[in-house]
Amino acid sequence: MTEGTGTLHPVADGVHAWVQPDGSWWVNNAGVVATDDGVVLVDTCATERRVRNLLRAVDQATGGAPVRYALNTHLHGDHTHGNSLLPESTVIIAHEATRQGILADTVIDGCPPAWHPVPDWGGVTRRPPGVTFRTALTLHVGERRIELHHPGYAAHTPGDAVAWLPEERVLFAGDLLFHQVNPLVFMGSVEGALRSLDWIAAFEPEHVVPGHGPLIDANTLPEVLDTHRRYYRLVLEAAEAGLRDGLTPLEAARACSLGEFAELPDPERIVLNLHRAYADRRGGAYDPFATFADAIAYNGGPLPTRV
C-alpha cells in the first residue's frame, strides 16, 4: 500500500513496515503491528505531512483500529516528532535515555540551516514517552508479544532499542541498521555500533526492518551486517590515522577513501562519525556545532534533505 511519501509493506501476518525511499536525512522507516486489541506503532516520522500519510495508511490497513501504543527506537526526530500527532490515549514507550534526549532536543523548535531545504516540520511538537525502561520490557497486546531490548551500551545513540516479535521472528532494528545508506553514529559510539551487529545477529530474525533503507531478510542480513562492519572499521582506521598524523576530523575525512560507500546516500556522514571517534579516543567533549560545520564544509554546502 502506497501513501504519497512511503509504502506499507507486509512483513508477517498483521505486521507491516512503512518504508520511505531513499532513507536519507530525515526519511526513515517505521513499523505497524496489528493486534485484536488495537495497533502498535514502531516509530513515527519527521514532519506532519509524512506522519499524516503514515497514519492514513495504517488506518486503511487495519480498518481504523486505534493506535494503543507507540514504541520509539531512539530519540531522533525522524522517528519521534510524530509522537505529538498520535491520540492522547496512545501510550508512548522508549528507553529512558530516549526520553531525556527528546526533552533536550532543540531541532524541533527551529532547525538550524545545516540542511537544505530546511525541513518544514508542520504542526509537530515535543512529546516524550510516558513509559520508559532501562534494559528490556515486554508488551502484551491482544495476542501479540512484543519485546523491547537495549544493547546495554551506546551505539547509534545512548538509548537505542529494538522491537522484537519472537513468534513472528520480526526485528525492528531502528537506526542500528542503515541499509544501502551511510550509517550515522555521531550521538553514540562507533565501537558500540560495531559491537551491536553481533547482538542483532543473535536474535536470528527472519525479517528485519532497518531504520532507513530497504527491508532485510534472513538471507541478506549477514551481508548487511558485514557491510556495516566494513564501514565502522573504515571510520576507526581513519580516526587512528588522523590522530596519528595530527589531522582534524575534517582533514581526516578528506584523506579517507570511502570506496564502496562513496555512492551511497549521505557520504558526508563520515565527518560526523569521525568527530565521534575522535571524541571517544580522546575522552573529551563532543561539539555538535563544530561537527555539522565540518560536514557542511566537506559537502560543499548544506546537507541534502528530502522532507
Side-chain angles (χ1 to χ4, degrees), residues 74 106 127 200 270 280 303:
H74 62 289
T106 59
R127 182 179 174 185
I200 289 171
I270 186 65
D280 289 346
L303 311 182

Side-chain angles (χ1 to χ4, degrees), residues 132-300:
T132 63
F133 69 97
R134 184 167 297 175
T135 56
L137 182 148
T138 300
L139 190 64
H140 298 273
V141 187
E143 76 286 7
R144 303 279 191 187
R145 177 187 176 98
I146 305 173
E147 300 175 3
L148 292 174
H149 295 274
H150 180 261
Y153 43 82
H156 175 65
T157 69
D160 299 309
V162 299
W164 170 236
L165 280 65
E167 296 299 323
E168 298 82 0
R169 307 210 65 77
V170 175
L171 185 72
F172 293 92
D175 283 6
L176 292 178
L177 291 183
F178 289 78
H179 189 199
Q180 299 177 12
V181 181
N182 276 284
L184 182 67
V185 294
F186 76 108
M187 292 186 70
S189 162
V190 184
E191 294 280 6
L194 182 58
R195 184 180 171 191
S196 74
L197 301 174
D198 288 338
W199 182 73
I200 289 171
F203 286 94
E204 298 184 347
E206 293 181 7
H207 304 279
V208 180
V209 181
H212 297 258
L215 302 179
I216 303 164
D217 61 24
N219 293 326
T220 57
L221 180 60
E223 175 53 29
V224 172
L225 296 176
D226 282 343
T227 300
H228 281 71
R229 290 187 183 99
R230 292 193 297 272
Y231 181 84
Y232 294 139
R233 288 169 181 153
L234 175 70
V235 174
L236 292 172
E237 291 167 2
E240 290 172 3
L243 288 167
R244 181 196 63 220
D245 298 338
L247 304 179
T248 67
L250 176 57
E251 291 168 339
R254 286 173 168 161
C256 174
S257 173
L258 288 177
E260 65 184 293
F261 305 103
E263 300 304 318
L264 294 181
D266 310 325
E268 69 279 355
R269 289 178 175 176
I270 186 65
V271 184
L272 289 87
N273 294 332
L274 280 170
H275 267 272
R276 177 77 267 164
Y278 269 51
D280 289 346
R281 285 286 195 270
R282 290 169 168 169
Y286 174 84
D287 183 348
F289 297 102
T291 298
F292 276 94
D294 280 354
I296 292 169
Y298 178 91
N299 191 57

